[in-house]
Amino acid sequence: MQPSRPLRTVHRAAALAGVLALSLALGACSSGKPSGGAGGRAPADGPISIAYLQKQGDQEYFVSEAAGARRKADELGIALRVVNLGNDASKTITEVKSAAAQKNRGIIIVVPESAVGPQVVAEAKNAGIALLTSDDQVCANGPKPADCAAADLVPRVGFSGLQMGNEVGKRAAAEFLKAGWSPANSRIVYAWKQDTTVCTDRVKGAKAAWKEAGGPEVQAVEVGTDNTPAGAQAKVEATVTANQSVRHWVVMGCNDENVAGGVKGLANAGVKGADVIGIGLGAYLACKDWQAGADNGMKAALYIPGDEVGKLAVQAMYDKLKNGKEFAPESFAPTRMVDATNWKDAGFGCK
């Protein structure tokens, strides 16, 4: 589905160059504050059409998110177009412009990378389109949301990264203490895409909660990935190779992809499931291991209902366009820790 590496690289470089130039212009000419409004338009009287632009739209979480968005749109009588951006920054800008050309009144977006955020904000503002982000944060006047003033962050629907990380770290510490492992021959792997703010928040939360829950001092290995199972698997396998004397492993990360990939990497490197504590974040991949009865060390996962985020985002956009209700700076969907014994009770399917 993705273009060849040379073409993708050219597109990426061009898009990022445009972002940097735009960021400088925004910083020099204005405050760059994001506008959740629709360019001064009055609330819509007729039909409403919006675009939902998602990175990695074929990932199971985002498939679920899109399904929830479609159900809510049908309920509200909204015309909704969902677009898979993949990881393409160039396509992101093209689709934002396309949404404007097609007279959509609002855009909900999950950007492939935060650096493209300022250009997305500028395009939406110029077109007079209401902009809302889901999942990942976007800064109006800079490429890094972590360095952005709160007033310059685009309103977002999703989950609290720190809170999610806290739940993961707490459960990991409890599993470690229950196992009675020695910290000396154990390691913690934190795997995530390190330029993604929400991922960094989740890892920070996990680290803090590990200590607060009584987890001992265990040497940690931070692994930078592309947030895919294959990427995490390769990095974790290499980590095991470099730490042959380590017997026990704890795996945490940004999402189920990182943890599932990490657990598989450990297995490929010869580490038994009894010596692994994997705490996923998403549960949509972890449940497959439990469904199959796999004994690979995937102990638990935080269930994050993507469909609920999709529903919340569409409802918030509808309320803005139809009733003039301002977006909240952040709106969060609920989460729940599940494991092999109770994941089916959470009510989500495992495909």
Side-chain angles (χ1 to χ4, degrees):
M1 290 176 57
Q2 294 184 356
S4 64
R5 183 171 297 277
L7 181 59
R8 186 171 69 247
T9 302
V10 170
H11 284 175
R12 179 185 175 93
L16 291 181
V19 169
L20 291 175
L22 179 62
S23 297
L24 290 174
L26 285 170
C29 301
S30 71
S31 67
K33 290 183 179 180
S35 173
R41 293 184 186 180
D45 291 327
I48 294 174
S49 61
I50 64 177
Y52 208 131
L53 313 180
Q54 297 175 304
K55 72 176 182 182
Q56 299 173 338
D58 56 350
Q59 187 188 96
E60 292 193 42
Y61 169 80
F62 292 115
V63 171
S64 174
E65 182 178 80
R70 289 189 177 100
R71 287 196 295 271
K72 179 56 71 171
D74 288 344
E75 175 188 321
L76 297 173
I78 292 175
L80 176 70
R81 185 172 70 98
V82 178
V83 178
N84 178 11
L85 301 174
N87 290 304
D88 193 332
S90 179
K91 183 176 181 180
T92 301
I93 302 306
T94 298
E95 290 295 343
V96 170
K97 291 179 177 178
S98 177
Q102 294 173 12
K103 307 301 182 183
N104 286 280
R105 294 294 300 269
I107 293 175
I108 305 168
I109 190 167
V110 193
V111 294
E113 51 188 84
S114 59
V116 80
Q119 193 171 354
V120 168
V121 173
E123 293 289 349
K125 184 176 181 180
N126 289 339
I129 297 176
L131 181 65
L132 178 67
T133 66
S134 72
D135 305 288
D136 298 346
Q137 288 182 314
V138 166
C139 181
N141 57 5
K144 296 182 178 180
D147 299 334
C148 192
D152 295 322
L153 291 171
V154 177
R156 178 176 77 94
V157 173
F159 300 98
S160 166
L162 286 173
Q163 183 179 1
M164 287 193 296
N166 283 339
E167 294 300 319
V168 169
K170 186 192 307 182
R171 181 60 178 260
E175 294 287 347
F176 189 92
L177 294 172
K178 183 171 68 175
W181 293 346
S182 168
N185 63 1
S186 302
R187 293 289 185 275
I188 299 175
V189 172
Y190 295 104
W192 80 105
K193 192 172 187 292
Q194 296 177 349
D195 62 351
T196 301
T197 304
V198 292
C199 287
T200 300
D201 287 344
R202 295 172 190 180
V203 171
K204 285 181 179 178
K207 290 179 178 179
W210 172 274
K211 293 181 179 179
E212 292 171 2
E217 289 292 332
V218 177
Q219 185 174 329
V221 182
E222 296 186 350
V223 177
T225 74
D226 59 358
N227 275 357
T228 68
Q233 178 184 329
K235 292 295 185 70
V236 171
E237 282 188 44
T239 299
V240 176
T241 300
N243 294 270
Q244 292 291 326
S245 63
V246 176
R247 180 179 177 185
H248 306 296
W249 295 86
V250 179
V251 185
M252 293 179 270
C254 175
N255 53 19
D256 252 27
E257 283 78 6
N258 279 287
V259 180
V263 167
K264 187 172 182 179
L266 290 169
N268 288 349
V271 181
K272 296 179 180 179
D275 294 319
V276 176
I277 293 173
I279 308 296
L281 205 163
Y284 45 84
L285 295 183
C287 70
K288 294 182 178 181
D289 292 332
W290 302 329
Q291 197 171 49
D295 183 19
N296 59 3
M298 184 67 83
K299 294 295 192 295
L302 188 67
Y303 172 46
I304 53 174
D307 61 328
E308 291 298 329
V309 173
K311 291 176 185 177
L312 283 172
V314 169
Q315 183 69 61
M317 183 61 74
Y318 176 86
D319 289 342
K320 171 65 179 175
L321 297 176
K322 193 71 175 179
N323 305 315
K325 181 179 179 181
E326 293 299 327
F327 296 131
E330 288 188 295
S331 300
F332 299 135
T335 61
R336 175 181 175 182
M337 186 64 69
V338 295
D339 56 34
T341 68
N342 65 7
W343 70 269
K344 292 181 180 180
D345 298 336
F348 68 98
C350 192
K351 299 178 181 179

